[in-house]
Amino acid sequence: QSALTQPAAVSGSPGQSITISCTGTSSDVGSYNFVSWYQQHPGKAPKLIIYEGSKRSSGVSNRFSGSKSGNTASLTISGLQAEDEADYYCCSYAGSSTLVFGGGTKMTVL
Amino acid sequence: QVQLVEAGGGVVQPGRSLRLSCAASGFTFSTYGMHWVRQAPGKGLEWLAIIAYDGTKKYFADSVKGRFTISRDNSKNTLFLQMNSLRTEDTAVYYCAKGQQWGLDVWGQGTTVTVSS
């Protein structure tokens, strides 16, 4: 149950696109199509934005998209807006009915 | 509306126990698996445990296996986390979350647990 690997921080200017990677292993990300992504603003609870790798949660902007290649999942945010500044976490099913989170990425809008 | 409300957090000494609760409303609680997730101060999210919709199956992260227990009362739409032998490293905000296809689609606001002498 080792944490998935995410970059500690990413940044982009308004209107730009950024991608956050989430690297796991063949025991989690690489073996299942159950990667989810969460957005967390300071002092708030996490919010589901992507589930099953690429499906947007209800009400989530289509500026958010998810994908996977091998043991690495990715979250792309296009048309960056100020309100996108937050921490982002990936999470994967890891077998045996367990989940594992990534360490989180602080996304800054310049 | 769909809502989860945690309660039971507080300050507790190392080695003692604490039981958290999570009251669910706005959805058919008895048909969903439920999770507990925690977040230590300034740190990331850590998945802790899941309980099946009917309470028959329970799974835990290695970090809490043998010390924490998850349970539910479907007649009262309430989820529980029993935490025993608490350590200072268990200090965190504890969230309950509703499961949906191995995603967590509804989260509570969290309850803070501080383990300190």
Side-chain angles (χ1 to χ4, degrees):
Chain A
Q1 292 180 349
S2 298
L4 307 176
T5 301
Q6 298 181 233
V10 298
S11 62
S13 299
Q16 287 186 331
S17 295
I18 63 98
T19 297
I20 300 172
S21 61
C22 169
T23 301
T25 69
S26 57
S27 297
D28 39 60
V29 175
S31 287
Y32 307 100
N33 289 319
F34 292 121
V35 173
S36 51
W37 289 90
Y38 302 85
Q39 177 190 63
Q40 186 180 34
H41 288 108
K44 301 295 187 181
K47 171 189 173 184
L48 176 67
I49 51 176
I50 297 288
Y51 66 100
E52 293 182 16
S54 60
K55 297 179 180 179
R56 274 187 299 277
S57 184
S58 176
V60 172
S61 169
N62 59 9
R63 297 185 299 104
F64 292 86
S65 62
S67 63
K68 189 186 88 167
S69 177
N71 296 337
T72 299
S74 299
L75 173 71
T76 298
I77 311 175
S78 59
L80 271 179
Q81 299 180 2
E83 63 259 34
D84 299 332
E85 185 162 295
D87 293 328
Y88 291 84
Y89 294 90
C90 62
C91 180
S92 176
Y93 181 70
S96 302
S97 297
T98 64
L99 293 173
V100 61
F101 278 97
T105 298
K106 182 177 181 61
M107 207 286 289
T108 301
V109 180
L110 301 172
Chain B
Q1 73 278 24
V2 177
Q3 191 173 13
L4 297 171
V5 179
E6 301 94 338
V11 180
V12 61
Q13 293 179 329
R16 304 297 290 263
S17 298
L18 201 62
R19 188 172 87 150
L20 307 182
S21 64
C22 168
S25 59
F27 65 100
T28 307
F29 179 73
S30 61
T31 63
Y32 290 95
M34 295 294 295
H35 300 251
W36 285 99
V37 176
R38 71 182 177 185
Q39 186 169 34
K43 302 297 184 181
L45 301 172
E46 180 186 13
W47 177 82
L48 298 178
I50 179 178
I51 184 168
Y53 69 99
D54 59 359
T56 57
K57 297 179 181 179
K58 308 171 186 181
Y59 300 90
F60 299 88
D62 289 343
S63 58
V64 301
K65 198 175 296 182
R67 296 191 301 125
F68 289 11
T69 300
I70 189 171
S71 61
R72 66 192 296 161
D73 184 340
N74 284 345
S75 70
K76 296 182 179 179
N77 292 341
T78 303
L79 174 72
F80 301 98
L81 184 69
Q82 176 68 41
M83 304 185 294
N84 299 328
S85 303
L86 282 163
R87 307 166 179 166
T88 56
E89 55 263 36
D90 294 319
T91 293
V93 176
Y94 285 74
Y95 296 99
C96 62
K98 171 179 167 285
Q100 179 65 40
Q101 290 296 90
W102 294 110
L104 307 176
D105 64 345
V106 181
W107 294 65
Q109 85 289 351
T111 188
T112 300
V113 173
T114 302
V115 184
S116 174
S117 55

PDB file of all heavy atoms in Angstrom, chain A residues 11-34:
ATOM      1  N   SER A  11       2.100  24.666 -11.879  1.00  0.00           N
ATOM      2  CA  SER A  11       1.522  26.001 -12.009  1.00  0.00           C
ATOM      3  C   SER A  11       1.261  26.313 -13.464  1.00  0.00           C
ATOM      4  O   SER A  11       1.845  25.700 -14.373  1.00  0.00           O
ATOM      5  CB  SER A  11       2.447  27.053 -11.391  1.00  0.00           C
ATOM      6  OG  SER A  11       3.684  27.076 -12.082  1.00  0.00           O
ATOM      7  N   GLY A  12       0.373  27.258 -13.678  1.00  0.00           N
ATOM      8  CA  GLY A  12       0.059  27.690 -15.018  1.00  0.00           C
ATOM      9  C   GLY A  12      -0.645  29.035 -14.985  1.00  0.00           C
ATOM     10  O   GLY A  12      -1.168  29.452 -13.945  1.00  0.00           O
ATOM     11  N   SER A  13      -0.667  29.700 -16.105  1.00  0.00           N
ATOM     12  CA  SER A  13      -1.315  31.008 -16.213  1.00  0.00           C
ATOM     13  C   SER A  13      -2.763  30.819 -16.626  1.00  0.00           C
ATOM     14  O   SER A  13      -3.131  29.794 -17.208  1.00  0.00           O
ATOM     15  CB  SER A  13      -0.588  31.872 -17.242  1.00  0.00           C
ATOM     16  OG  SER A  13       0.757  32.081 -16.860  1.00  0.00           O
ATOM     17  N   PRO A  14      -3.595  31.804 -16.318  1.00  0.00           N
ATOM     18  CA  PRO A  14      -4.997  31.708 -16.736  1.00  0.00           C
ATOM     19  C   PRO A  14      -5.118  31.441 -18.228  1.00  0.00           C
ATOM     20  O   PRO A  14      -4.413  32.045 -19.042  1.00  0.00           O
ATOM     21  CB  PRO A  14      -5.559  33.075 -16.353  1.00  0.00           C
ATOM     22  CG  PRO A  14      -4.704  33.510 -15.214  1.00  0.00           C
ATOM     23  CD  PRO A  14      -3.324  33.003 -15.530  1.00  0.00           C
ATOM     24  N   GLY A  15      -6.012  30.497 -18.564  1.00  0.00           N
ATOM     25  CA  GLY A  15      -6.224  30.148 -19.955  1.00  0.00           C
ATOM     26  C   GLY A  15      -5.358  29.014 -20.465  1.00  0.00           C
ATOM     27  O   GLY A  15      -5.682  28.389 -21.484  1.00  0.00           O
ATOM     28  N   GLN A  16      -4.263  28.763 -19.768  1.00  0.00           N
ATOM     29  CA  GLN A  16      -3.372  27.675 -20.185  1.00  0.00           C
ATOM     30  C   GLN A  16      -3.922  26.321 -19.748  1.00  0.00           C
ATOM     31  O   GLN A  16      -4.912  26.231 -19.027  1.00  0.00           O
ATOM     32  CB  GLN A  16      -1.979  27.876 -19.589  1.00  0.00           C
ATOM     33  CG  GLN A  16      -1.160  28.986 -20.223  1.00  0.00           C
ATOM     34  CD  GLN A  16       0.262  29.025 -19.677  1.00  0.00           C
ATOM     35  OE1 GLN A  16       0.519  28.644 -18.534  1.00  0.00           O
ATOM     36  NE2 GLN A  16       1.199  29.492 -20.505  1.00  0.00           N
ATOM     37  N   SER A  17      -3.245  25.263 -20.184  1.00  0.00           N
ATOM     38  CA  SER A  17      -3.566  23.901 -19.769  1.00  0.00           C
ATOM     39  C   SER A  17      -2.416  23.334 -18.951  1.00  0.00           C
ATOM     40  O   SER A  17      -1.248  23.625 -19.231  1.00  0.00           O
ATOM     41  CB  SER A  17      -3.812  22.996 -20.984  1.00  0.00           C
ATOM     42  OG  SER A  17      -4.949  23.398 -21.697  1.00  0.00           O
ATOM     43  N   ILE A  18      -2.745  22.551 -17.953  1.00  0.00           N
ATOM     44  CA  ILE A  18      -1.731  21.866 -17.166  1.00  0.00           C
ATOM     45  C   ILE A  18      -2.136  20.401 -17.012  1.00  0.00           C
ATOM     46  O   ILE A  18      -3.324  20.054 -17.105  1.00  0.00           O
ATOM     47  CB  ILE A  18      -1.538  22.508 -15.774  1.00  0.00           C
ATOM     48  CG1 ILE A  18      -2.813  22.401 -14.936  1.00  0.00           C
ATOM     49  CG2 ILE A  18      -1.097  23.938 -15.898  1.00  0.00           C
ATOM     50  CD1 ILE A  18      -2.817  21.233 -13.959  1.00  0.00           C
ATOM     51  N   THR A  19      -1.134  19.575 -16.798  1.00  0.00           N
ATOM     52  CA  THR A  19      -1.384  18.146 -16.582  1.00  0.00           C
ATOM     53  C   THR A  19      -0.674  17.697 -15.322  1.00  0.00           C
ATOM     54  O   THR A  19       0.497  18.021 -15.102  1.00  0.00           O
ATOM     55  CB  THR A  19      -0.894  17.302 -17.778  1.00  0.00           C
ATOM     56  OG1 THR A  19      -1.646  17.659 -18.942  1.00  0.00           O
ATOM     57  CG2 THR A  19      -1.086  15.815 -17.508  1.00  0.00           C
ATOM     58  N   ILE A  20      -1.403  16.958 -14.497  1.00  0.00           N
ATOM     59  CA  ILE A  20      -0.843  16.396 -13.267  1.00  0.00           C
ATOM     60  C   ILE A  20      -0.749  14.890 -13.437  1.00  0.00           C
ATOM     61  O   ILE A  20      -1.738  14.238 -13.782  1.00  0.00           O
ATOM     62  CB  ILE A  20      -1.737  16.735 -12.048  1.00  0.00           C
ATOM     63  CG1 ILE A  20      -1.837  18.249 -11.875  1.00  0.00           C
ATOM     64  CG2 ILE A  20      -1.176  16.088 -10.788  1.00  0.00           C
ATOM     65  CD1 ILE A  20      -2.855  18.680 -10.827  1.00  0.00           C
ATOM     66  N   SER A  21       0.428  14.352 -13.220  1.00  0.00           N
ATOM     67  CA  SER A  21       0.620  12.913 -13.364  1.00  0.00           C
ATOM     68  C   SER A  21       0.458  12.198 -12.032  1.00  0.00           C
ATOM     69  O   SER A  21       0.586  12.802 -10.956  1.00  0.00           O
ATOM     70  CB  SER A  21       2.014  12.619 -13.931  1.00  0.00           C
ATOM     71  OG  SER A  21       3.014  13.097 -13.049  1.00  0.00           O
ATOM     72  N   CYS A  22       0.173  10.917 -12.129  1.00  0.00           N
ATOM     73  CA  CYS A  22      -0.049  10.073 -10.953  1.00  0.00           C
ATOM     74  C   CYS A  22       0.499   8.694 -11.296  1.00  0.00           C
ATOM     75  O   CYS A  22      -0.117   7.950 -12.064  1.00  0.00           O
ATOM     76  CB  CYS A  22      -1.536  10.030 -10.643  1.00  0.00           C
ATOM     77  SG  CYS A  22      -2.055   8.798  -9.423  1.00  0.00           S
ATOM     78  N   THR A  23       1.654   8.386 -10.744  1.00  0.00           N
ATOM     79  CA  THR A  23       2.321   7.136 -11.104  1.00  0.00           C
ATOM     80  C   THR A  23       2.181   6.083 -10.017  1.00  0.00           C
ATOM     81  O   THR A  23       2.505   6.347  -8.857  1.00  0.00           O
ATOM     82  CB  THR A  23       3.810   7.385 -11.390  1.00  0.00           C
ATOM     83  OG1 THR A  23       3.928   8.328 -12.459  1.00  0.00           O
ATOM     84  CG2 THR A  23       4.494   6.091 -11.805  1.00  0.00           C
ATOM     85  N   GLY A  24       1.691   4.947 -10.429  1.00  0.00           N
ATOM     86  CA  GLY A  24       1.542   3.818  -9.505  1.00  0.00           C
ATOM     87  C   GLY A  24       2.336   2.627  -9.993  1.00  0.00           C
ATOM     88  O   GLY A  24       3.440   2.788 -10.515  1.00  0.00           O
ATOM     89  N   THR A  25       1.766   1.471  -9.818  1.00  0.00           N
ATOM     90  CA  THR A  25       2.433   0.232 -10.213  1.00  0.00           C
ATOM     91  C   THR A  25       1.454  -0.678 -10.946  1.00  0.00           C
ATOM     92  O   THR A  25       0.268  -0.344 -11.096  1.00  0.00           O
ATOM     93  CB  THR A  25       2.962  -0.514  -8.978  1.00  0.00           C
ATOM     94  OG1 THR A  25       1.832  -1.011  -8.222  1.00  0.00           O
ATOM     95  CG2 THR A  25       3.797   0.394  -8.076  1.00  0.00           C
ATOM     96  N   SER A  26       1.935  -1.818 -11.335  1.00  0.00           N
ATOM     97  CA  SER A  26       1.077  -2.792 -11.998  1.00  0.00           C
ATOM     98  C   SER A  26       0.091  -3.431 -11.014  1.00  0.00           C
ATOM     99  O   SER A  26      -0.785  -4.191 -11.437  1.00  0.00           O
ATOM    100  CB  SER A  26       1.927  -3.879 -12.659  1.00  0.00           C
ATOM    101  OG  SER A  26       2.749  -4.507 -11.698  1.00  0.00           O
ATOM    102  N   SER A  27       0.237  -3.129  -9.741  1.00  0.00           N
ATOM    103  CA  SER A  27      -0.689  -3.649  -8.727  1.00  0.00           C
ATOM    104  C   SER A  27      -1.851  -2.715  -8.450  1.00  0.00           C
ATOM    105  O   SER A  27      -2.790  -3.090  -7.752  1.00  0.00           O
ATOM    106  CB  SER A  27       0.067  -3.910  -7.404  1.00  0.00           C
ATOM    107  OG  SER A  27       1.065  -4.898  -7.577  1.00  0.00           O
ATOM    108  N   ASP A  28      -1.764  -1.499  -8.956  1.00  0.00           N
ATOM    109  CA  ASP A  28      -2.871  -0.560  -8.707  1.00  0.00           C
ATOM    110  C   ASP A  28      -3.270   0.132 -10.006  1.00  0.00           C
ATOM    111  O   ASP A  28      -4.101  -0.386 -10.745  1.00  0.00           O
ATOM    112  CB  ASP A  28      -2.532   0.435  -7.592  1.00  0.00           C
ATOM    113  CG  ASP A  28      -1.076   0.922  -7.619  1.00  0.00           C
ATOM    114  OD1 ASP A  28      -0.682   1.519  -8.638  1.00  0.00           O
ATOM    115  OD2 ASP A  28      -0.355   0.701  -6.645  1.00  0.00           O
ATOM    116  N   VAL A  29      -2.664   1.276 -10.312  1.00  0.00           N
ATOM    117  CA  VAL A  29      -3.070   2.044 -11.498  1.00  0.00           C
ATOM    118  C   VAL A  29      -3.033   1.197 -12.755  1.00  0.00           C
ATOM    119  O   VAL A  29      -3.949   1.245 -13.591  1.00  0.00           O
ATOM    120  CB  VAL A  29      -2.176   3.288 -11.671  1.00  0.00           C
ATOM    121  CG1 VAL A  29      -2.508   4.016 -12.969  1.00  0.00           C
ATOM    122  CG2 VAL A  29      -2.334   4.236 -10.477  1.00  0.00           C
ATOM    123  N   GLY A  30      -1.987   0.411 -12.903  1.00  0.00           N
ATOM    124  CA  GLY A  30      -1.798  -0.356 -14.136  1.00  0.00           C
ATOM    125  C   GLY A  30      -2.755  -1.515 -14.328  1.00  0.00           C
ATOM    126  O   GLY A  30      -2.900  -2.017 -15.448  1.00  0.00           O
ATOM    127  N   SER A  31      -3.396  -1.926 -13.256  1.00  0.00           N
ATOM    128  CA  SER A  31      -4.235  -3.127 -13.338  1.00  0.00           C
ATOM    129  C   SER A  31      -5.725  -2.863 -13.350  1.00  0.00           C
ATOM    130  O   SER A  31      -6.511  -3.763 -13.646  1.00  0.00           O
ATOM    131  CB  SER A  31      -3.927  -4.063 -12.164  1.00  0.00           C
ATOM    132  OG  SER A  31      -2.669  -4.692 -12.331  1.00  0.00           O
ATOM    133  N   TYR A  32      -6.132  -1.653 -12.985  1.00  0.00           N
ATOM    134  CA  TYR A  32      -7.569  -1.378 -12.840  1.00  0.00           C
ATOM    135  C   TYR A  32      -7.944  -0.047 -13.479  1.00  0.00           C
ATOM    136  O   TYR A  32      -7.148   0.883 -13.514  1.00  0.00           O
ATOM    137  CB  TYR A  32      -7.954  -1.334 -11.352  1.00  0.00           C
ATOM    138  CG  TYR A  32      -7.531  -2.559 -10.577  1.00  0.00           C
ATOM    139  CD1 TYR A  32      -6.387  -2.542  -9.783  1.00  0.00           C
ATOM    140  CD2 TYR A  32      -8.282  -3.732 -10.636  1.00  0.00           C
ATOM    141  CE1 TYR A  32      -5.991  -3.661  -9.071  1.00  0.00           C
ATOM    142  CE2 TYR A  32      -7.887  -4.856  -9.921  1.00  0.00           C
ATOM    143  CZ  TYR A  32      -6.747  -4.815  -9.150  1.00  0.00           C
ATOM    144  OH  TYR A  32      -6.360  -5.929  -8.446  1.00  0.00           O
ATOM    145  N   ASN A  33      -9.172   0.021 -13.952  1.00  0.00           N
ATOM    146  CA  ASN A  33      -9.687   1.288 -14.486  1.00  0.00           C
ATOM    147  C   ASN A  33     -10.484   2.029 -13.416  1.00  0.00           C
ATOM    148  O   ASN A  33     -11.588   2.505 -13.669  1.00  0.00           O
ATOM    149  CB  ASN A  33     -10.559   1.026 -15.712  1.00  0.00           C
ATOM    150  CG  ASN A  33      -9.735   0.580 -16.894  1.00  0.00           C
ATOM    151  OD1 ASN A  33      -8.650   1.112 -17.137  1.00  0.00           O
ATOM    152  ND2 ASN A  33     -10.241  -0.390 -17.644  1.00  0.00           N
ATOM    153  N   PHE A  34      -9.917   2.103 -12.219  1.00  0.00           N
ATOM    154  CA  PHE A  34     -10.591   2.751 -11.089  1.00  0.00           C
ATOM    155  C   PHE A  34      -9.698   3.825 -10.480  1.00  0.00           C
ATOM    156  O   PHE A  34      -9.444   3.826  -9.280  1.00  0.00           O
ATOM    157  CB  PHE A  34     -10.995   1.725 -10.046  1.00  0.00           C
ATOM    158  CG  PHE A  34     -12.081   0.789 -10.475  1.00  0.00           C
ATOM    159  CD1 PHE A  34     -11.875  -0.578 -10.498  1.00  0.00           C
ATOM    160  CD2 PHE A  34     -13.324   1.276 -10.869  1.00  0.00           C
ATOM    161  CE1 PHE A  34     -12.885  -1.439 -10.904  1.00  0.00           C
ATOM    162  CE2 PHE A  34     -14.333   0.428 -11.280  1.00  0.00           C
ATOM    163  CZ  PHE A  34     -14.111  -0.936 -11.295  1.00  0.00           C
TER     164      PHE A  34
END
